[in-house]
Amino acid sequence: MRELPQGPTPPRNGDAIETDLLLSRRAVLSGAGALALLGVAGCSTSGGGDLPALQLDDTVTGSVPIRPSISVDKNITGPDVMYASLTDNGFNVPEVPYLKVKPEFRRQIVVDTTGEAPGTIVVHLKERMLYLVQPGGDAIRYGVGIGKDGFRWSGRANIQYGREWPTWTPPPEMIQRKPELVKWQGGQPGGLTNPLGARALYIYQDGKDTGYRIHGSPEWWSIGQAMSSGCVRLINQDIIDLYSRVSKKNPVVVV
């Protein structure tokens, strides 16, 4: 059992001033420590006042929770910055009214729970989330839209290559369902109304094109929904960010 502290020894001459200074110094340090802890707690937000689900480990040592390390990334800031309008390759990408996007679908850093190696892209169809696994135990998470029933694909594959402002060519079966798309059977040039958005990452499995893409979309309101023909789509600002972080052959896991 820990021995309880004894009462203070009466000060000798001259000790009272030293004791008062020591107590004052402790009070200042205690206050500074409390402010520092408050500062740390405020830094983990992604911005805009919305606190992402950090999935904190509630294991305790004594009475102090162990908090997982969250990386600091200059591109994960407030949503007003991340979803502002921008000019890219001559195209003026409009601002996204992020307040109309659910906070969980905005770009943010979270604790990695995928168990995959850094650099892996993990798409959780049920969650409507895409994770880019980072070194050190965290991941960058983006909200996505997915394919509707009957148009979904899952499995392990790789990114074969990517395109900026890609051309979109509707497959023949899509043209059969929507004859008005016949005008694009030779390919729709990249642009603000192109269904592939600002970037596209092409998914191959065993060296063969799966026909599925991870791409941008001008329809930011579709994020979180299942309404595409199978591809995984992100807000244009998010696919531009994701595209800048990946390279050829990144593993892709769709579950």
Side-chain angles (χ1 to χ4, degrees), residues 34-222:
L35 290 174
L37 287 174
L38 288 173
V40 170
C43 289
S44 62
T45 177
S46 297
D50 298 304
L51 293 175
L54 297 181
Q55 304 176 26
L56 300 184
D57 185 349
D58 53 5
T59 304
V60 297
T61 300
S63 60
V64 181
I66 298 175
R67 180 173 183 159
S69 174
I70 298 295
S71 70
V72 177
D73 190 299
K74 66 179 180 180
N75 294 314
I76 312 297
T77 58
D80 55 330
V81 175
M82 294 189 295
Y83 298 114
S85 61
L86 60 97
T87 300
D88 181 81
N89 288 356
F91 294 102
N92 295 318
V93 181
E95 175 186 9
V96 173
Y98 65 86
L99 290 176
K100 296 182 179 180
V101 178
K102 291 183 178 180
E104 61 266 31
F105 292 138
R106 302 174 197 163
R107 188 190 325 162
Q108 56 194 275
I109 297 175
V110 297
V111 174
D112 174 47
T113 58
T114 69
E116 299 291 339
T120 305
I121 296 171
V122 181
V123 179
H124 275 279
L125 298 175
K126 185 176 181 180
E127 294 180 5
R128 313 290 203 264
M129 301 289 187
L130 181 151
Y131 298 81
L132 177 60
V133 181
Q134 302 292 291
D138 54 17
I140 301 174
R141 192 180 75 189
Y142 309 81
V144 300
I146 64 171
K148 55 190 175 182
D149 289 342
F151 291 90
R152 298 176 190 170
W153 174 86
S154 62
R156 287 183 174 266
N158 291 86
I159 298 300
Q160 185 75 8
Y161 61 92
R163 292 287 184 267
E164 298 185 13
W165 295 100
T167 297
W168 176 65
T169 304
E173 57 271 21
M174 182 178 289
I175 294 177
Q176 289 180 1
R177 296 194 307 271
K178 299 180 178 180
E180 67 274 14
L181 297 178
V182 69
K183 63 180 178 179
W184 301 125
Q185 63 182 354
Q188 180 182 356
L192 294 174
T193 60
N194 188 299
L196 293 182
R199 304 284 190 275
L201 298 168
Y202 295 76
I203 301 175
Y204 277 56
Q205 188 178 51
D206 300 325
K208 297 179 180 180
D209 188 357
T210 64
Y212 292 92
R213 318 286 185 239
I214 297 172
H215 63 83
S217 173
E219 299 176 339
W220 55 264
W221 57 88
S222 69

Side-chain angles (χ1 to χ4, degrees), residues 11-19:
R12 299 186 300 274
N13 291 338
D15 284 352
I17 295 176
E18 182 178 347
T19 301

